[in-house]
Amino acid sequence: MQITICGGGNAAHAAAGLLAAEGEHRVSVYLPFENEAQLWRDGTATQGGIRVVRPDGSVLGLPERISSDPAEVIPGSELVLLALPSFAHEPILKEIAPYLEDGTLIGALAARGCYDLCVRDILGSKTDRVTIFGLQTLPWACRIREYGQEVDLLGVKAQVEFATCPPEQANELASFLSSQLGLPLEPMGSFLSLTLAGTGQLIHPGVMYGLFKDWDGKLFEEAPLFYQGIDAQTADILQCLSDEIQYLRTCIEERYASIDLHTVRTLDEWLCMSYADDIEDTSSLQTYFVTNRSYAGLKVPMRKVEEGLLPDFSARYLSEDVPYALLATRGIAELAEVPTPTIDEVISWAQKRMNKEYLLDGKLVGRDVKSSRAPQRYGFRDLDTMIAVMFCQT
Ligand code: NAD
């Protein structure tokens, strides 16, 4: 199979190294920036490929072609993997769209909210001739050790959920992708489930809001702990965010008898499922976080100024999780006419900190909605039409 990985960051290094090391496929890499492409070409020439360093040993995979020109790597690709942050999906999809062939599988590691709507918007009528899929999260925790040469695979998820459009392709694709990516992939039912179920959209903006809503601008000497800094009040905010999504889920399921959103789990269900062996005290949502060994020591993203440290509101906890995840869910709630007071509170605070405008007088009509993944940005004005598109019924 001809596989092209798009991107040049941590995920792209891991995907390219692992898939090329299997030796079964012809793997190419499309890098959006020529300086990155050159570093990859130089690095892989020196080292003989991308080395993926795992605790149980390392593997080396040499991509056949590395290019910043999509015309050199996309034609003929049967599987295209966007191993990219969500803000890069749109520009990259626009660049590769003219070269995509019928029958291609186009997947995102990781997808985040309304990824399918983003792909449809860019591919137009071509959408019906490809298969779109998206993983709920990246299968690996990974960090580049040496750019274009080596990446550390710090952990592999026990399993990852994913969605496809058309949904009927999920089972066949699950067994194929599980064998390629080296971990079990579980179908979620639809991109609607994937969008509502993402927990990063609750946890990351929710914790930032809890930690800094009353911040008076004072400097920090040290970065505060992110998860272990969750107090009872922040835990309450997270609970309210989770409850609002569950209420939205119930309203949609009541309105559409054929829609099953059981994979949209409550926050505590998801924490138990993901970190069963790592949580010491399960007596409250707060203790799920503060006694979770996987979260121990992780700090708030900060930026250095001359006299100390300030919280970095441009970091991905807001800049990725608000426009590409929480706004997608908020947009669906608006179409369903389901109120989301706590989600609105968090977005209203975050948009000020990010110098953006999404919510205006309680509606998603702010000037920056056009660069988000809210369904309104793609022209959806009613839930029925959006659901039909998300379930590939049009
Ligand atoms: P990354 O920051 O390493 O990716 C950066 C790369 O993205 C750049 O090198 C460039 O090739 C590309 N890029 C950046 N801006 C771009 C733009 N404007 N246009 C085109 N391309 C652009 O990100 P990553 O660590 O590889 O993560 C990929 C996704 O997986 C993210 O959504 C991240 O949140 C998620 N994720 C990552 C990890 C991890 O361990 N790395 C874990 C869980 C989830």
Side-chain angles (χ1 to χ4, degrees), residues 35-51:
N35 63 331
E36 291 190 342
Q38 194 56 51
L39 287 170
W40 273 65
R41 283 190 292 265
D42 294 346
T44 51
T46 310
Q47 166 109 305
I50 297 285
R51 185 174 300 282

Side-chain angles (χ1 to χ4, degrees), residues 6-14 30-33 36 40 82-93 95 108-112 136-144 147 151-152 154-155 157 204 316 320-321:
C6 298
N10 300 302
H13 279 74
Y30 169 53
L31 290 122
F33 308 119
E36 291 190 342
W40 273 65
L82 306 188
L84 289 161
S86 359
F87 54 79
H89 291 165
E90 184 176 328
I92 294 284
L93 283 164
E95 285 159 19
L109 318 172
R112 285 202 167 76
Q136 182 64 280
T137 184
L138 194 67
W140 323 286
C142 52
R143 291 289 175 273
I144 294 168
Y147 195 87
V151 60
D152 278 320
L154 307 166
K157 305 262 171 8
H204 300 148
R316 291 189 186 170
E320 205 176 0
D321 286 298

Side-chain angles (χ1 to χ4, degrees), residues 29-211:
V29 183
Y30 169 53
L31 290 122
F33 308 119
E34 177 51 29
N35 63 331
E36 291 190 342
Q38 194 56 51
L39 287 170
W40 273 65
R41 283 190 292 265
D42 294 346
T44 51
T46 310
Q47 166 109 305
I50 297 285
R51 185 174 300 282
V52 183
V53 183
R54 302 187 286 214
D56 60 345
S58 65
V59 294
L60 187 67
L62 179 62
E64 265 185 16
R65 282 174 300 175
I66 296 168
S67 178
S68 61
D69 179 358
E72 286 185 5
V73 281
I74 302 297
S77 300
E78 295 154 275
L79 171 62
V80 172
L81 288 175
L82 306 188
L84 289 161
S86 359
F87 54 79
H89 291 165
E90 184 176 328
I92 294 284
L93 283 164
K94 284 184 174 156
E95 285 159 19
I96 66 173
Y99 308 101
L100 289 170
E101 294 178 5
D102 289 359
T104 309
L105 304 165
I106 307 168
L109 318 172
R112 285 202 167 76
C114 295
Y115 166 71
D116 55 327
L117 302 186
C118 170
V119 179
R120 280 178 173 279
D121 186 55
I122 293 162
L123 297 196
S125 58
K126 224 182 204 182
T127 309
D128 298 335
R129 304 198 297 276
V130 299
T131 299
I132 305 168
F133 68 93
L135 271 60
Q136 182 64 280
T137 184
L138 194 67
W140 323 286
C142 52
R143 291 289 175 273
I144 294 168
R145 194 187 267 195
E146 192 70 46
Y147 195 87
Q149 297 188 32
E150 248 177 43
V151 60
D152 278 320
L153 210 66
L154 307 166
V156 181
K157 305 262 171 8
Q159 70 162 49
V160 171
E161 294 182 310
F162 84 114
T164 62
C165 195
E168 307 77 65
Q169 302 221 353
N171 288 334
E172 196 184 328
L173 205 52
S175 60
F176 169 70
L177 290 173
S178 299
S179 70
Q180 301 308 311
L181 299 174
L183 79 167
L185 289 192
E186 282 297 319
M188 294 197 84
S190 67
F191 274 100
L192 179 61
S193 294
L194 183 138
T195 298
L196 300 181
T199 46
Q201 66 181 330
L202 309 181
I203 299 171
H204 300 148
V207 173
M208 288 296 279
Y209 175 62
L211 291 177

Side-chain angles (χ1 to χ4, degrees), residues 31 63 98 130 134 187 219 248 335 347 350 352:
L31 290 122
V130 299
L219 288 162
L248 173 60
L335 295 178
I347 294 173
K352 276 196 210 124

